[in-house]
Amino acid sequence: MGFDVLKKTMGIERKINDFLDQVSEAGMLFGEGVEFYLNGRMDVFAQKLDAISEKEHQGDILRKTIDHELYTRTLIPESRGDVLRLMEDMDSLLDRFKGAMWRFEIERVDICADLHDDFLGLVSCVCKSVEAMISSSRAFFNDIEAVSDHMHKVSFWETESDKASTRLQRAIFSKKDIELSHRLQLRDFAVHIDRIADRAEDAADNLGIYVIKRSL
């Protein structure tokens, strides 16, 4: 059972789904962008950066519209705060994807070829964690009993992300052929990417509370 009132109200359910689409597509663009960066395709990386920035812009517009409609139409007053906070959590994930891409663009860190697979493995786990959170959010509105079917995957992929980050950091600091400052920069990139999955797990924890409240 979902939020039936949203289904009957001037397309707000569609706006929520559109907003979640922006977050999902930002994750895919991030994964592609990192791969092009590692392959030295900075022209295509720049295109992905522009595209993810546009996703973030469209996401902001949609979230503000959703916020406005939830307040002005006094929809689901007993759950409105939870919905708004869920939208904020998802918007934060979109922002983090864009921020990580900009960090690659600004710092232009030199990632050693033998670390490419480890970086891509970390990115894959992070993106899967966020995608599981998106599926959990869709279920919250459409079929609340199915939320747990997706939410446990957020935790699973966040744990895998932590493992991948740890492996990557060990590989970084085992490289004695590069300067310590370079190793520290690479470590910071690994930690920064891993924190996206941490944020997805925080959002899942919050969603778990909203589900409990709905069941009371």
Side-chain angles (χ1 to χ4, degrees):
M1 183 177 185
F3 283 106
D4 291 338
V5 68
L6 296 183
K7 300 179 188 298
K8 301 173 184 176
T9 309
M10 299 293 289
I12 190 168
E13 185 187 30
R14 178 180 57 77
K15 290 184 178 70
I16 290 173
N17 275 320
D18 287 348
F19 171 72
L20 293 174
D21 285 346
Q22 303 303 309
V23 183
S24 178
E25 289 168 19
M28 289 185 277
L29 288 166
F30 176 67
E32 290 180 338
V34 173
E35 189 166 1
F36 282 119
Y37 181 94
L38 294 175
N39 290 331
R41 294 289 308 279
M42 297 306 295
D43 54 337
V44 189
F45 172 83
Q47 294 172 13
K48 300 299 178 182
L49 177 56
D50 287 343
I52 206 171
S53 295
E54 179 60 22
K55 294 296 175 187
E56 191 268 343
H57 176 65
Q58 292 301 321
D60 279 347
I61 293 173
L62 282 165
R63 188 177 64 82
K64 289 173 183 176
T65 302
I66 293 165
D67 290 356
H68 177 75
E69 293 194 13
L70 285 172
Y71 274 115
T72 58
R73 298 177 186 277
T74 58
L75 299 169
I76 51 171
E78 72 282 359
S79 299
R80 183 170 53 201
D82 293 343
V83 173
L84 291 171
R85 284 188 289 272
L86 176 57
M87 294 296 99
E88 289 172 3
D89 282 343
M90 301 311 294
D91 192 41
S92 171
L93 292 171
L94 202 166
D95 289 343
R96 285 170 185 252
F97 279 133
K98 188 188 80 166
M101 284 281 279
W102 270 109
R103 189 164 183 176
F104 277 100
E105 168 64 19
I106 292 169
E107 295 192 28
R108 298 291 179 107
V109 61
D110 180 16
I111 299 178
C112 311
D114 57 347
L115 297 176
H116 285 192
D117 286 346
D118 286 333
F119 262 99
L120 289 173
L122 172 59
V123 168
S124 176
C125 291
V126 166
C127 290
K128 287 176 181 176
S129 178
V130 173
E131 193 59 40
M133 183 58 211
I134 293 165
S135 297
S136 301
S137 299
R138 294 192 199 276
F140 181 64
F141 295 105
N142 299 315
D143 182 8
I144 197 166
E145 293 181 359
V147 172
S148 61
D149 294 340
H150 303 287
M151 205 157 57
H152 75 95
K153 297 175 186 175
V154 181
S155 246
F156 175 84
W157 287 113
E158 189 278 333
T159 299
E160 291 301 302
S161 176
D162 282 345
K163 293 176 183 175
S165 177
T166 298
R167 285 195 300 270
L168 177 53
Q169 290 179 64
R170 284 177 174 164
I172 289 167
F173 283 101
S174 71
K175 291 185 66 63
K176 304 304 182 183
D177 55 332
I178 59 176
E179 296 291 333
L180 176 60
S181 58
H182 190 183
R183 279 178 271 163
L184 290 172
Q185 186 185 29
L186 289 168
R187 187 274 313 275
D188 287 348
F189 265 74
V191 171
H192 187 70
I193 294 170
D194 183 35
R195 282 176 180 162
I196 301 174
D198 292 339
R199 187 70 189 88
E201 186 175 49
D202 290 342
D205 290 342
N206 292 337
L207 180 57
I209 294 171
Y210 308 152
V211 171
I212 293 170
K213 290 166 67 175
R214 285 273 310 279
S215 67
L216 295 178

